[in-house]
């Protein structure tokens, strides 16, 4: 009887070990601190210029293009799921109803993500409509994925192709006027986002970015080890933007036309990296790199190979 019990106990331990190994095989190796790339090549919304934005195919295309970071936007559904989307609603400019029909002009902002369960959001087609702003974008039937699915897909692809581990630059799409309408309040937003990040074991490889200092403040207070990026499109200047934020982020990320040699110098003097958005012209990419920026966010990650 003792031998039988020992056999079953040993078998149980083996099964647990195998299950744990299977669950973690696509997670990057855990480290307390991982340095950012010397020059960070970020695919904006995956590869927005080439494939439907913020979708799994766009992220895999970016990986094929040799990016060091996958940039993406996060929203929260009615049932608390973290999903990828730039807009807080189904955007009729480049997205379609589940039936494949156009969204009527009167319903332009009707389908708010925070007011719908994810099971409903997933039924909308976000890749089959021609998008005039990005004529090279390949048309395909696509949906807004969960952040967890994107991470799983990217990590599996990295392993399959033998690629280097990339970073995940995740933007919290929030602003004060949208609390409770388009998204939860900052603390709840951050809690849900970090829960997915930790479930997938990618914390050392994550950057949380935002135009909304509130979410970055919450993140810095609760999880100071997670890298942060302050997105900037205003003319207030470096000092005022940092004063409003209340701490020094890992990255200062301005609109690319705001970049000057003096801004780069000041950013570096305060120990931050400077990564501008969104640069889609090769000559402009080359100019900015020569100026000394620490990376570039682009809709066309295929251009990085020419830098």
């Amino acid at each position: 009887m003792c031998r039988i019990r020992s056999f079953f106990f040993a078998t149980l331990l083996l099964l647990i070990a195998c299950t744990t190994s299977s669950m973690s095989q696509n997670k990057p190796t855990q480290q307390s601190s991982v340095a950012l790339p010397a020059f960070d090549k970020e695919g904006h919304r995956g590869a927005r210029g080439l494939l439907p934005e913020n979708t799994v195919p766009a992220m895999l295309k970016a990986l094929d293009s040799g990016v060091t970071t996958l940039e993406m936007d996060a929203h929260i559904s009615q049932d608390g799921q973290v999903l990828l989307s730039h807009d807080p609603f189904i955007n009729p400019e480049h997205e379609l109803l589940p039936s494949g029909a156009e969204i009527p002009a009167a319903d332009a902002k009707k389908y708010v993500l925070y007011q719908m369960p994810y099971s409903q959001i997933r039924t909308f087609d976000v890749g089959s409509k021609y998008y005039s702003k990005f004529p090279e974008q390949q048309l395909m039937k696509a949906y807004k994925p969960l952040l967890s699915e994107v991470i799983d897909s990217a990590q599996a692809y990295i392993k399959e192709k033998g690629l280097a581990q990339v970073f995940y630059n995740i933007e919290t799409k929030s602003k004060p006027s949208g609390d409770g309408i388009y998204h939860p309040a900052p603390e709840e937003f951050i809690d849900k986002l970090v829960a997915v990040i930790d479930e997938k074991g990618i914390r050392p490889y994550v950057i949380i970015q935002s135009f909304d200092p509130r979410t970055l403040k919450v993140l810095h207070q609760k999880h100071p080890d997670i890298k942060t990026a302050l997105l900037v499109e205003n003319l207030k200047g470096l000092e005022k933007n940092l004063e409003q934020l209340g701490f020094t982020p890992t990255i200062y990320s301005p609109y690319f036309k705001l970049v000057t040699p003096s801004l780069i110098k000041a950013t570096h003097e305060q120990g931050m990296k400077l990564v501008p958005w969104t640069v889609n012209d090769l000559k402009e990419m080359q100019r900015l790199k020569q100026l000394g920026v620490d990376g570039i966010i682009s809709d066309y990650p295929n251009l990085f190979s020419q830098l």
Side-chain angles (χ1 to χ4, degrees), residues 69-283:
T69 296
L70 296 173
E71 193 273 354
M72 60 196 71
D73 304 297
H75 271 285
I76 309 295
S77 66
Q78 185 184 57
D79 52 344
Q81 301 295 303
V82 184
L83 66 132
L84 264 57
S85 178
H86 176 268
D87 302 296
F89 47 80
I90 303 296
N91 189 336
E93 190 174 12
H94 53 89
E95 298 172 352
L96 299 169
L97 292 170
S99 64
E102 297 271 348
I103 298 172
D107 296 338
K109 295 185 179 181
K110 174 182 177 180
Y111 300 102
V112 176
L113 305 179
Y114 190 51
Q115 308 299 331
M116 293 191 291
Y118 177 68
S119 59
Q120 181 183 0
I121 294 169
R122 190 182 174 97
T123 63
F124 288 81
D125 184 353
V126 302
S128 297
K129 183 176 179 178
Y130 176 72
Y131 194 12
S132 60
K133 291 181 180 178
F134 296 95
E136 297 175 48
Q137 192 180 92
Q138 180 183 342
L139 299 182
M140 61 171 63
K141 194 161 187 179
Y143 57 86
K144 294 182 185 293
L146 291 175
L147 173 61
S148 58
E149 180 186 358
V150 170
I151 296 168
D152 285 343
S153 298
Q155 290 303 133
Y157 198 74
I158 288 168
K159 183 178 180 182
E160 176 190 347
K161 299 293 183 179
L163 303 175
Q165 179 60 49
V166 297
F167 286 81
Y168 293 84
N169 188 6
I170 308 168
E171 181 180 347
T172 56
K173 300 301 295 185
S174 66
K175 56 184 179 180
S177 62
D179 287 356
I181 303 170
Y182 291 126
H183 50 76
E187 186 164 1
E188 182 182 350
F189 201 139
I190 289 298
D191 286 347
K192 291 186 181 303
L193 181 56
V194 172
V196 176
I197 290 166
D198 284 345
E199 178 191 350
K200 297 303 175 182
I202 61 167
R203 180 184 279 239
Y205 296 93
V206 165
I207 306 156
I208 303 299
Q209 64 175 356
S210 191
F211 288 101
D212 185 355
R214 301 177 309 152
T215 55
L216 296 182
K217 287 179 181 179
V218 170
L219 181 78
H220 184 66
Q221 290 165 0
K222 300 184 75 171
H223 309 282
D225 60 304
I226 296 181
K227 299 173 181 67
T228 52
L230 179 63
L231 290 165
V232 175
E233 59 183 344
N234 61 62
L235 299 174
K236 295 177 182 178
L238 177 63
E239 295 306 321
K240 287 189 176 179
N241 280 316
L242 292 182
E243 182 181 346
Q244 183 181 10
L245 181 61
F247 69 94
T248 303
T250 315
I251 300 168
Y252 191 75
S253 191
Y255 177 49
F256 79 94
K257 290 187 177 180
L258 297 176
V259 176
T260 63
S262 60
L263 177 61
I264 296 172
K265 182 175 183 292
T267 303
H268 289 169
E269 285 175 348
Q270 297 199 44
M272 294 175 286
K273 288 182 174 289
L274 190 143
V275 180
W277 56 274
T278 302
V279 192
N280 292 333
D281 177 76
L282 180 59
K283 288 185 178 179

Side-chain angles (χ1 to χ4, degrees), residues 17-31:
C18 290
T19 302
T20 302
S21 175
S22 175
M23 289 173 63
S24 62
Q25 64 182 347
N26 290 328
K27 292 182 180 181
T29 302
Q30 287 295 292
Q31 300 179 46

